[in-house]
Amino acid sequence: MQESSDNFQDSQSQSSEQRQKGSVPSFLVRLFDIMENDDLKEIIGWNTEGNAFIVRNQQLLADKILPKYFKHKNYPSFLRQLNMYNFKKSKADDINQKFEHKWFRRDGRALLTNIKRRNQEENDDKDEIPQIVDEIEQFKKAQKELKNEIQAIADSQKQLQIALQQIMQQNETLFQESQQLTQELSNMQSKNQQRFANYSNILTEIVQRLQQEQEEELRNRDNIQPQLQGEQKKANVIQIKQEQSSQQQQFLSQQNNLSANSLQFLMNMSANKNAFNFQMFSQLKQQQMNPQIFQNGSQQQQQNDVKKNDIKKENEQ
């Protein structure tokens, strides 16, 4: 019975070896056949995960299994074969040894074609070296480009920071200039108010002097003059007073316009510190420097003097 079982295993091993001969080494085919034999799992077999096999009894493996599948009883030679195909040895526990390979899996007979001898893998690794070198060069190139992009972003950020600082400095300068202009406008407004007060005093003195002269002329009139002539003189005096009052109102209106323009300019400066209406400021300057009001007062004084002379001439006639 035992002999027939051994003959069946030999025939199965030979048939499996013939199926994969030429593509998979016979050592790997026979090793995989051993793993698939459940009768041998107490001596050698898959671990629970099926990604490695465990040698549970080295002595029985050397005495019974190796002679049947590999025609020898040399366990160290079996280990050398495993090492030659890059099987990694480790301890499954305190007694048993475990061997694993990434392409040696339970139900993975087709994966055996990927297992190669150590020198073949080294040759494959040598063939892959140029490709790996190219990949490394490409990686270095990409890394250099990325580094350049990062540097460009850093430079751009630095330029933006410099531009931002310049803008902040410009805003600070504009704010200081706006404060200075506001102070100048306040000073000009104060000067305008002082000039207005001076012009008002001058006009008041002129009006009072004209009234005194006219009253004095009326008192010195000759009683012989016709009543009509006296009424004409009174009308002239009333006209002079009306003209003087109109000129005073005109002066007050011009001063109010000047104050309104100054106030509007200050409101524009507060609403937008960065946009100054220098044209308005120039107009205010021109209005400040315009002596038209004083000239109008002098011209009115001359006209009053002419009218006074006309009245004297009429009285003399």
Side-chain angles (χ1 to χ4, degrees):
M1 182 70 179
Q2 181 68 28
E3 185 177 358
S4 62
S5 177
D6 292 340
N7 292 332
F8 174 75
Q9 291 176 356
D10 291 340
S11 62
Q12 185 179 8
S13 175
Q14 291 175 359
S15 62
S16 298
E17 182 179 354
Q18 289 174 355
R19 285 196 305 269
Q20 295 193 4
K21 187 176 180 181
S23 59
V24 179
S26 60
F27 173 79
L28 298 175
V29 175
R30 293 173 184 177
L31 181 61
F32 198 85
D33 290 340
I34 293 172
M35 296 302 111
E36 289 187 337
N37 191 343
D38 293 336
D39 295 336
L40 304 176
K41 64 182 180 180
E42 297 298 329
I43 300 173
I44 184 172
W46 296 110
N47 63 353
T48 304
E49 293 81 9
N51 59 359
F53 66 89
I54 299 173
V55 177
R56 297 181 175 89
N57 194 323
Q58 297 181 12
Q59 189 62 40
L60 292 177
L61 176 63
D63 292 342
K64 293 185 178 181
I65 297 175
L66 293 182
K68 187 181 296 185
Y69 286 91
F70 300 106
K71 309 302 181 184
H72 66 80
K73 294 183 179 182
N74 193 347
Y75 183 72
S77 177
F78 175 73
L79 294 180
R80 285 194 297 271
Q81 287 287 329
L82 292 175
N83 185 54
M84 185 174 62
Y85 287 100
N86 285 324
F87 279 83
K88 306 299 180 183
K89 182 176 71 172
S90 61
K91 287 185 177 181
D93 49 42
D94 294 338
I95 301 173
N96 302 323
Q97 292 180 340
K98 181 176 67 173
F99 299 87
E100 59 182 327
H101 192 286
K102 63 180 180 179
W103 300 117
F104 196 78
R105 297 285 186 270
R106 182 168 51 199
D107 299 329
R109 186 181 290 272
L111 300 176
L112 297 178
T113 57
N114 296 322
I115 301 176
K116 299 178 182 180
R117 289 176 181 267
R118 185 183 296 275
N119 56 355
Q120 290 178 341
E121 289 187 353
E122 291 176 354
N123 292 332
D124 292 340
D125 292 340
K126 290 180 180 179
D127 294 336
E128 292 177 356
I129 288 175
Q131 182 179 359
I132 295 173
V133 172
D134 292 339
E135 292 178 356
I136 292 173
E137 291 297 329
Q138 292 178 0
F139 175 76
K140 289 182 178 179
K141 184 178 180 181
Q143 186 180 17
K144 185 176 180 180
E145 292 177 354
L146 181 61
K147 185 177 180 181
N148 292 334
E149 290 179 359
I150 293 173
Q151 185 64 36
I153 292 172
D155 294 340
S156 178
Q157 186 177 6
K158 185 176 181 180
Q159 292 177 358
L160 289 175
Q161 289 178 351
I162 294 173
L164 180 60
Q165 291 178 354
Q166 292 177 352
I167 291 172
M168 292 176 65
Q169 291 176 357
Q170 291 177 358
N171 289 336
E172 182 66 23
T173 303
L174 290 174
F175 178 73
Q176 293 177 358
E177 290 178 354
S178 66
Q179 287 183 334
Q180 183 178 359
L181 289 174
T182 302
Q183 184 65 33
E184 291 180 0
L185 285 173
S186 178
N187 295 334
M188 285 190 292
Q189 188 174 10
S190 299
K191 291 179 181 180
N192 288 334
Q193 291 176 354
Q194 184 66 33
R195 289 179 181 178
F196 174 73
N198 294 334
Y199 293 156
S200 297
N201 293 332
I202 293 173
L203 289 175
T204 301
E205 291 178 358
I206 292 173
V207 171
Q208 290 177 356
R209 187 175 60 183
L210 289 175
Q211 289 178 351
Q212 290 175 0
E213 291 178 356
Q214 289 172 359
E215 290 176 356
E216 184 179 357
E217 289 178 359
L218 290 174
R219 286 194 299 268
N220 295 329
R221 284 180 186 173
D222 191 6
N223 294 328
I224 301 173
Q225 293 179 349
Q227 186 68 25
L228 181 61
Q229 186 176 3
E231 293 178 356
Q232 182 66 34
K233 291 180 180 180
K234 289 180 180 181
N236 291 335
V237 172
I238 292 171
Q239 183 178 1
I240 291 171
K241 289 181 178 181
Q242 290 178 350
E243 290 178 355
Q244 291 174 352
S245 177
S246 176
Q247 290 176 359
Q248 188 174 5
Q249 290 178 357
Q250 182 180 0
F251 178 79
L252 290 173
S253 177
Q254 290 178 355
Q255 184 62 27
N256 290 332
N257 291 333
L258 181 62
S259 299
N261 291 333
S262 299
L263 180 60
Q264 182 65 32
F265 181 77
L266 291 173
M267 290 174 65
N268 292 334
M269 289 291 293
S270 299
N272 187 359
K273 295 179 180 180
N274 297 329
F276 299 106
N277 195 339
F278 292 101
Q279 184 175 2
M280 179 66 73
F281 181 77
S282 178
Q283 290 179 359
L284 291 175
K285 277 290 211 178
Q286 291 178 0
Q287 289 183 3
Q288 256 189 333
M289 302 302 296
N290 191 1
Q292 186 64 33
I293 297 174
F294 184 79
Q295 291 179 0
N296 290 338
S298 299
Q299 291 177 359
Q300 185 62 39
Q301 178 66 32
Q302 293 177 359
Q303 292 177 1
N304 292 334
D305 292 339
V306 171
K307 289 182 180 182
K308 184 174 66 176
N309 293 329
D310 292 338
I311 293 172
K312 288 182 179 181
K313 289 179 180 181
E314 290 178 359
N315 293 331
E316 289 176 358
Q317 291 177 357

